[in-house]
Amino acid sequence: MSDTTNLGLPFIEGPEAEYYVTHNEALRILDVLVQLAVLDRDLSAPPGSPSEGQRWIVGASPTGAWAGHANHIAAWQDGGWQFSVPKIGWLAYVVDESSLLAWDGSAWVSAIAFALNNLSHLGINTTADANNKLAVKSNGVAFSHDDVTPGTGDMRVNVNKAGTAKDAGFVFQTGWSTRALFGLLGDEHFQIKVSPDGANFRQAIDIDNATGHVGLGTSADANNGVSAKLNTALWTAKTAGEGGTGDLRYTLNKAASGNTLSLLFQTNFSGRAELGLAGDDDFHLKVSPDGSNWFEALVTDRTTGEVIVGGWRVGRDAVINVLPDSGRFNGNNNNLQFDGIAYVAPSYLTPASGASIVAHAKFIHGNSTYGGTGGALDPEVKALIDKIRPNPADRIYGPEWYVVIVTQATTLIGNPIMFNGFAYAIPFTNTFTALPKKYTVGFYVKVKTGRAAIVVPPANKGRAYIDGVLYPGGGSGNLVELQNADGWKYVNLQSGPNPYFYNYEAFHVVMTAGSQIYFAMPRFVFGHVNLDPNLGVLMNDKMFG
């Protein structure tokens, strides 16, 4: 007996006895395979109580009565299993998945995917053509990651072109006239272009594929991360009603102090001005006539807030000492006397009860200590001149000045300040006098015996520098203790008066009972100024008599 080619239906051979058996067998096979619907396709073992005519696609690793029939159609017929081997193109509806499958010769696959492979073109709700082989007319198109198979969770659309000069992009049109497009448009850069009429196009954004540099309204530049060609630009803050704060702040960061972070202003791409942190952490404004030679117009010192204009440090290079003797202790009217001066008790320092201020020694113009003939320097004077004049050749000459010794009383006046177990009090006052709102005092000091301290002004009044080190004040100020081993110290105090606009403790020196200090070259200037520690004698307004 032979069978039909595709479904394997048995033929009735000639004058076959009991031909109805063969006929019925063919009908059973037809009943199994025509309008094929299977209950499941994942079982490997036969179900325990199948019903007549029920069908399954045998799983990949069959066992029991299904052994050896992987991917076959298994039908329960007349109390036994009938198996049919699928052929390419057979269709089967899987009930538990509500899906239509097709046999591709090696596996059961989605019949829709099987049928849609290698279509010449496809139109959805419209007609596709030779140029637009996929055409869709719809209010929306949704793409989502595969959560059925399931997939990887990714969703990626790949747009590929044949070569560099071709286009791989998305085009947006109004009435079939292009208004915007983006992608790889004629090169390997990512571009966004817009058009008012579908014929003339303007480049909005260009991103260089080799560097990631961005061009706005122009091509990306190899040397600049962002370049733009425009006439005006507007930045505005996001308000609280829009979910913002109302602030607008640009944060610009550089790698290290020695690098540059600035705004560079050019004419025909030649620098003319630069603003920012140019080579250090101070704020600079530079100008140039040619883009090569640069001049500092303004620098703001980041540590003090001082401004340097054209190399001239405002508030420092032009300050004068308002003390009548320039802090030389040579009398109010001796400003024209350069050398040979005599000590005169300063009118601006008044010893407190029991304290004293006496002359110690002076710096001698043309001193023999450093090669002159004017006489040797006292050791303490020498130690101070060595500190403020690093070059030995500069220690011979200069206007003469005195070092005085201040001795604190053995009984402290007023309410002494307790600090680290020691009681401190002022040794002298600067008398009651009107003071400017902000002032700076400076002096050189060394503890001779005992202990002394500098009272740092409160934070709302000012601050103190000792040998250039900043000591910010607290809520009520604080003390910096000094001892003999510390040597000469330069104190620079930025302070202000009390609410009545005087302060008889302007120099902020306090001492323990019976202590002694060396004190030299005091200066008092208007404003808060960080005076150079090696400034030495500072002129006053009577420099010409």
Side-chain angles (χ1 to χ4, degrees), residues 261-273:
L261 174 63
S262 67
L263 297 177
L264 183 63
F265 301 88
Q266 297 182 323
T267 297
N268 196 25
F269 296 102
S270 177
R272 291 297 180 268

Side-chain angles (χ1 to χ4, degrees), residues 218-248:
T218 186
S219 297
D221 185 82
N223 298 315
N224 295 285
V226 178
S227 54
K229 182 177 286 188
L230 50 137
N231 295 118
T232 59
L234 172 66
W235 303 86
T236 186
K238 194 174 183 179
T239 66
E242 297 168 320
T245 63
D247 299 322
L248 180 61

Side-chain angles (χ1 to χ4, degrees), residues 143-165:
F143 295 88
S144 177
H145 69 93
D146 179 5
D147 58 357
V148 176
T149 307
T152 63
D154 301 320
M155 175 61 220
R156 173 176 286 177
V157 177
N158 294 316
V159 181
N160 181 64
K161 62 180 182 176
T164 297

Side-chain angles (χ1 to χ4, degrees), residues 75-403:
W76 183 255
Q77 298 278 22
D78 296 331
W81 291 104
Q82 176 182 313
F83 298 98
S84 300
V85 179
K87 293 188 178 182
I88 293 176
W90 282 20
L91 300 177
Y93 181 78
V94 183
V95 174
D96 72 332
E97 296 179 9
S98 298
S99 62
L100 183 64
L101 303 183
W103 179 254
D104 68 356
S106 60
W108 290 97
V109 299
S110 170
I112 296 176
F114 184 80
L116 293 180
N117 281 335
N118 295 309
L119 292 177
S120 61
H121 54 272
L122 174 65
I124 299 177
N125 203 32
T126 188
T127 302
D129 55 39
N131 187 54
N132 298 290
K133 295 185 178 180
L134 172 62
V136 178
K137 183 176 286 187
S138 172
N139 290 328
V141 177
F143 295 88
S144 177
H145 69 93
D146 179 5
D147 58 357
V148 176
T149 307
T152 63
D154 301 320
M155 175 61 220
R156 173 176 286 177
V157 177
N158 294 316
V159 181
N160 181 64
K161 62 180 182 176
T164 297
K166 303 296 183 179
D167 288 347
F170 288 81
V171 179
F172 302 87
Q173 298 182 324
T174 298
W176 305 109
S177 178
T178 300
R179 293 297 179 265
L181 63 164
F182 68 80
L184 308 182
L185 308 175
D187 58 26
E188 302 289 19
H189 292 192
F190 183 84
Q191 301 179 59
I192 299 178
K193 295 183 177 182
V194 292
S195 174
D197 53 17
N200 299 292
F201 289 88
R202 296 181 177 88
Q203 190 169 55
I205 297 176
D206 178 80
I207 303 176
D208 190 311
N209 66 305
T211 63
H213 291 183
V214 178
L216 303 177
T218 186
S219 297
D221 185 82
N223 298 315
N224 295 285
V226 178
S227 54
K229 182 177 286 188
L230 50 137
N231 295 118
T232 59
L234 172 66
W235 303 86
T236 186
K238 194 174 183 179
T239 66
E242 297 168 320
T245 63
D247 299 322
L248 180 61
R249 171 178 288 175
Y250 292 90
T251 299
L252 306 176
N253 181 66
K254 63 179 182 176
S257 178
N259 296 114
T260 293
L261 174 63
S262 67
L263 297 177
L264 183 63
F265 301 88
Q266 297 182 323
T267 297
N268 196 25
F269 296 102
S270 177
R272 291 297 180 268
E274 185 173 13
L275 183 72
L277 310 182
D280 57 31
D281 284 340
D282 292 335
F283 188 79
H284 295 256
L285 172 59
K286 298 181 178 182
V287 292
S288 174
D290 53 18
S292 299
N293 300 292
W294 290 87
F295 301 96
E296 290 276 12
L298 181 146
V299 179
T300 302
D301 189 310
R302 69 187 183 280
T303 60
T304 66
E306 290 182 292
V307 177
I308 305 168
V309 179
W312 184 67
R313 191 177 288 265
V314 178
R316 182 184 292 197
D317 295 340
V319 297
I320 62 171
N321 192 347
V322 300
L323 300 181
D325 61 358
S326 296
R328 297 170 66 192
F329 301 134
N330 68 323
N332 294 354
N333 299 312
N334 285 334
N335 293 285
L336 293 178
Q337 190 171 351
F338 192 83
D339 56 0
I341 66 172
Y343 172 75
V344 177
S347 61
Y348 48 83
L349 295 180
T350 302
S353 299
S356 65
I357 301 174
V358 298
H360 172 66
K362 70 176 180 179
F363 170 74
I364 300 171
H365 174 69
N367 63 81
S368 59
T369 301
Y370 288 102
T373 60
L377 296 179
D378 172 83
E380 292 301 339
V381 176
K382 177 182 182 300
L384 179 53
I385 199 70
D386 288 353
K387 176 183 178 70
I388 65 176
R389 297 185 186 175
N391 184 5
D394 298 333
R395 300 169 185 168
I396 302 176
Y397 307 111
E400 294 183 346
W401 42 266
Y402 272 88
V403 172

Side-chain angles (χ1 to χ4, degrees), residues 514-527:
S515 295
Q516 291 184 308
I517 61 171
Y518 296 107
F519 192 79
M521 285 182 285
R523 65 281 311 268
F524 190 109
V525 302
F526 296 147

Side-chain angles (χ1 to χ4, degrees), residues 419-489:
F419 192 77
N420 286 343
F422 294 92
Y424 292 87
I426 60 170
F428 55 77
T429 69
N430 47 280
T431 71
F432 290 86
T433 183
L435 294 175
K437 186 173 183 180
K438 292 183 179 180
Y439 60 81
T440 299
V441 295
F443 51 86
Y444 298 93
V445 63
K446 178 182 177 181
V447 175
K448 183 175 187 290
T449 60
R451 308 172 75 92
I454 305 302
V455 181
V456 179
N460 63 338
K461 288 284 189 180
R463 50 192 172 181
Y465 293 88
I466 300 179
D467 273 352
V469 177
L470 174 63
Y471 291 84
S476 301
N478 55 280
L479 268 63
V480 179
E481 291 185 301
L482 304 175
Q483 301 180 50
N484 177 263
D486 297 331
W488 279 102
K489 291 290 185 180

